[in-house]
Amino acid sequence: MRGRSKDMAKIAFVGLGNMGAPMAANLVKAGHRVIGYDATEAARQAAVTRGLTVAGTLAEALREAEAVVTMLPNGAIVRKVWAEIAQNLGVGTLAIDSSTIDVDSAVAVHELLAARGALTLDAPVSGGVGGAEAGTLTFMVGGSEAALEKGRAILEPMAGRIVPCGGAGAGQAAKICNNMALGISMIAACEAFALGEKLGLTHQALFDVLSTSSGQSWSVNSYCPVPGPVPNSPANRDYKPGFAAALMLKDLKLSQEAALARGVQTPLGAEAAQLYGIFEKLGHGGQDFSGIINFLRGKL
Ligand code: NAD
């Protein structure tokens, strides 16, 4: 890799939103030369306030870039932006998409860029805005070993953990399977607490049993949907996210599209998508996803 030292690169970072801006800032802190770009002036300005250098156009951000990272809202936008990037990409450039998108779009982007001689990774994340700020995101990575080897110096300053998942699209596949399980397990935890309340159990008593018995899950033990037992869970701050219900709905829909396309039965994933869909329609998409307990209690 060219650059100031073996591991430092000139990176174009596209999509400077809630996640992208702090991720790009961590690359700068690690010594990389980063030129950011976002379609909106407001995001570009906010990034400048953080100390990032931004370009006024995508083409300008891409000039002499040795690596390009994107952090964008959805698969359609990712396909469109990478089609534009592909026009300006040098052979051997590293291309990393960290957005959460459908597997088919991820694979299409890999194929488009591989045809241009780029090394490509799909590398969606979990850990939310807090993890993006702290540089502790988990990256689920799909792509060749050569691409991952080259990508580590870029992913590491943003990462707590990097999990190789397989070939093109495997990172996105792992992400949507994980989040489908998470959406289902959160609803299971909420149903248990809602029923426990009506049966006269205190939150703490039920937590003490669930969290140490066969009903345990990350949703109970680390992200408890009722206030008290896990002091830093969003339930203790009136369900301020955290991980917004609208983002959970997005990931559940991606899982259902994938299940339909592959002919896989995921009835609980489908039900979770339905419930989060109603929760969002009721105007609560901006709440933490554990706030769905109020809907299940019949309080919304
Ligand atoms: P965001 O909406 O805050 O940021 C997306 C940015 O992309 C915006 O600033 C937008 O202006 C920009 N953008 C849109 N179209 C563009 C284009 N054509 N060219 C350049 N910029 C463009 O979203 P976010 O919360 O930062 O999420 C980004 C991705 O990360 C999503 O795919 C999301 O599902 C995923 N994700 C988010 C979280 C989270 O907690 N926010 C957690 C894990 C994964």
Side-chain angles (χ1 to χ4, degrees), residues 16-17 21 40-52 54:
L16 303 170
T40 73
E41 176 61 25
R44 293 200 294 269
Q45 283 302 327
V48 169
T49 315
R50 276 182 179 272
L52 285 162
V54 300

Side-chain angles (χ1 to χ4, degrees), residues 17-19 38-40 71-73 77 81 99-100 125 128 247 250:
N18 293 324
M19 297 290 290
D38 194 282
T40 73
M71 194 55 175
L72 296 162
I77 294 176
V81 168
S99 327
T100 302
V125 299
L247 288 174
K250 172 190 168 181

Side-chain angles (χ1 to χ4, degrees), residues 7-289:
D7 291 331
M8 297 302 123
K10 175 162 186 258
I11 303 168
F13 201 113
V14 184
L16 303 170
N18 293 324
M19 297 290 290
M23 289 166 73
N26 282 326
L27 290 174
V28 174
K29 273 186 218 145
H32 292 292
R33 195 170 150 228
V34 179
I35 309 289
Y37 173 72
D38 194 282
T40 73
E41 176 61 25
R44 293 200 294 269
Q45 283 302 327
V48 169
T49 315
R50 276 182 179 272
L52 285 162
T53 303
V54 300
T57 64
L58 179 58
E60 199 187 315
L62 294 173
R63 207 165 292 147
E64 292 175 19
E66 296 154 277
V68 183
V69 183
T70 52
M71 194 55 175
L72 296 162
N74 59 47
I77 294 176
V78 167
R79 282 183 191 242
K80 178 175 152 287
V81 168
W82 279 105
E84 203 177 328
I85 294 172
Q87 315 285 331
N88 298 283
L89 216 59
V91 171
T93 306
L94 182 63
I96 303 176
D97 177 47
S98 282
S99 327
T100 302
I101 62 169
D102 58 288
V103 177
D104 293 342
S105 291
V107 171
V109 168
H110 273 276
E111 284 170 357
L112 170 73
L113 294 164
R116 301 259 168 181
L119 286 166
T120 57
L121 295 173
D122 57 289
V125 299
S126 71
V129 175
E133 293 280 356
T136 57
L137 293 167
T138 294
F139 282 85
M140 292 150 262
V141 185
S144 68
E145 276 177 28
L148 179 54
E149 194 179 322
K150 193 168 176 182
R152 278 190 187 277
I154 292 172
L155 297 179
E156 271 164 4
M158 305 185 282
R161 221 153 63 93
I162 298 170
V163 187
C165 296
Q172 298 293 352
K175 164 92 184 171
I176 60 172
C177 291
N178 179 73
N179 280 20
M180 183 178 76
L182 173 62
I184 294 167
S185 84
M186 178 53 77
I187 290 170
C190 290
E191 288 188 356
F193 278 103
L195 178 60
E197 287 164 359
K198 292 291 182 197
L199 293 173
L201 290 169
T202 65
H203 290 157
Q204 192 62 50
L206 183 53
F207 175 82
D208 289 345
V209 173
L210 280 180
S211 65
T212 56
S213 306
S214 43
Q216 67 184 262
S217 66
W218 183 87
S219 297
V220 171
N221 293 41
S222 303
Y223 211 85
C224 189
V226 293
V230 176
N232 61 358
S233 78
N236 298 280
R237 44 175 202 270
D238 207 17
Y239 301 100
K240 187 170 171 290
F243 184 50
L247 288 174
M248 173 49 81
L249 176 60
K250 172 190 168 181
D251 294 355
L252 285 167
K253 282 181 176 166
L254 289 174
S255 77
Q256 293 314 290
E257 283 164 27
L260 186 66
R262 268 69 174 184
V264 181
Q265 297 294 322
T266 56
L268 294 185
E271 187 61 29
Q274 284 258 350
L275 292 172
Y276 276 104
I278 298 169
F279 190 59
E280 189 189 52
K281 280 212 177 78
L282 290 172
H284 304 293
Q287 263 189 28
D288 187 76
F289 80 117

Side-chain angles (χ1 to χ4, degrees), residues 281-297:
K281 280 212 177 78
L282 290 172
H284 304 293
Q287 263 189 28
D288 187 76
F289 80 117
S290 58
I292 200 161
I293 191 168
N294 283 323
F295 171 68
L296 297 168
R297 283 171 175 144

